[in-house]
Amino acid sequence: MLNIFESKGNLIVHSKEPYNAEPPLDRLRSAFITAQADFYVRSHGNIPQLDADEHRLVVDGLVERSLNLSMTELRTCFPHRTVTAVMQCAGNRRADMLQVAEVSGDPWAPGAIGNAEWTGVALSDVLQAAGATDNADLHVAFASCDEIEMEGEGRFLYGASIPMAKAVSPEVILAFAMNGEDLAPAHGFPLRVVVPGFAGVRSPKWLSRITVQAQPSDNHMQQRDYKMLPSNVTADTVDWTKGVTINDMPINAAICEPSPHATLKPGLTTIRGYAVATAREIVRVDISGDGGRTWSLAELEGSSPWSWTFWHASLDLSKGEHELVVRAWDSAGQTQPAAPDDTWNFKGYLSAAWHRVRVSVV
Ligand SMILES: Nc1nc2c(c(=O)[nH]1)N[C@H]1C(S)=C(S)[C@@H](COP(=O)(O)O)O[C@H]1N2
Ligand SMILES: [Mo]
């Protein structure tokens, strides 16, 4: 079997251990469905090499009957569902916030996102088989097999949770396949959660346990990370209990081509990128060739619920330096903040300001 650096040879590696990497943007923009080889990887610990024949999924907590399922039982006892959905890290585009002030975490460009066809079983079917009550006040907690080591936290296994109201939505699945293939080890083989519309952190890979409980997961990932924080809060002053849990992702858009600092010829240039509004629809994308003073409409290439929307535009660029800018609009008329300063936070989460790319025309 290929090792991770071979199987992910096209990616830009932010760190090797834990392995974190994203695709170059022209590659990301080359297909509506992102190939596993080109799909970003965000890991906090090791990448477990699990045996599907041995793997078990336990369902317990506030249920009428606990389940302990093999992968074969999971595949054969429940109807299969396929959902095409974006997976996106809450730290996607963090590099832009880094330009405002220091932030913690890897400097992700706009590549910590991908769109895949996930196949598995509905989480709601599994919860129903266990006789879980779907009281909206409950939480569904997930436990994984990867081990994480963090300063001040020691060693622990990855875990996170989602509210019951989302857990019983039909789009939330326990996936064993991505784009019709087994999940690659880096993407959670043999089983992961996929929570369309939510930040990637709520979609645990290498899933081993589902627990229905009265409160959110007590895991570090749920309690002391991945929260929305005001810009005056720092690593030294943060009170995690006051942060807001990041679930839904904001509207966002990025220019994938041309790449930053590209040298172009005068005349018509095609600009390509993606926009994403998760639960809502992208209805308009604006593109500027002069730093956001004047705008024209990009052409949308169609979408599906939970997927991204690809767009392209043609701009007539004269000789000189240009700042290309994109901003998207959703069906509720919401758009993106103009500058990363507006939403800066020391963790660099939810970086969704107008995306700017400088090019030279010579
Ligand atoms: N078990 C486990 N699940 C995890 C993570 C992890 O480190 N361990 N990272 C999460 C985060 S923060 C993101 S953004 C997505 C990334 O999924 P991918 O690596 O398949 O792209 O997985 C999520 N699930
Ligand atoms: Mo993430």
Side-chain angles (χ1 to χ4, degrees), residues 122-137:
L123 174 58
S124 64
D125 287 345
V126 174
L127 291 173
Q128 203 174 19
T133 44
D134 59 357
N135 179 338
D137 296 338

Side-chain angles (χ1 to χ4, degrees), residues 40 42 44 88-92 108 112 158 199-201 226 349:
Y40 83 99
R42 170 67 175 115
H44 295 76
Q88 185 184 188
C89 186
N92 189 30
W108 297 100
Y158 187 97
V201 63
Y226 292 96
Y349 291 140

Side-chain angles (χ1 to χ4, degrees), residues 99-114:
Q99 287 173 7
V100 178
E102 190 62 35
V103 287
S104 72
D106 289 325
W108 297 100
I113 185 171

Side-chain angles (χ1 to χ4, degrees), residues 251-252 275-285 300-309 328-335:
I251 184 170
N252 212 336
V276 61
T278 62
R280 289 204 172 89
E281 196 188 341
I282 293 287
V283 295
R284 193 177 115 200
V285 171
L300 308 185
E301 296 182 13
S303 181
S304 62
W306 309 114
S307 287
W308 53 18
T309 300
W329 301 76
D330 71 15
S331 52
Q334 299 181 107
T335 188

